[in-house]
Amino acid sequence: MCDYTEVQYKCGDVRYTVRAWCVRYQETHKRCAPNVVAIEYRLDELCGEHIQ
């Protein structure tokens, strides 16, 4: 399984970002089941807001 961080935003939107790719993905580039290992709260950010 690949390790992901669940990111929760002020609007209630939830996104998942990869923390580490699993060996299977590195070898085949086929995604495996996600394994959420952390939750990050970005309650001061609106959905779709990007820092440039």
Side-chain angles (χ1 to χ4, degrees):
M1 289 189 203
C2 298
D3 292 344
Y4 284 79
T5 297
E6 179 180 299
V7 182
Q8 297 184 7
Y9 292 90
K10 181 178 183 176
C11 66
D13 193 17
V14 176
R15 297 183 183 162
Y16 296 89
T17 58
V18 176
R19 292 177 62 97
W21 291 114
C22 59
V23 174
R24 177 177 173 225
Y25 180 80
Q26 291 174 1
E27 293 173 350
T28 66
H29 294 281
K30 292 182 181 177
R31 294 187 183 215
C32 52
N35 180 39
V36 177
V37 296
I39 298 175
E40 183 178 325
Y41 298 96
R42 295 185 184 180
L43 302 178
D44 57 334
E45 292 183 31
L46 297 175
C47 299
E49 188 175 283
H50 299 286
I51 299 172
Q52 295 184 4

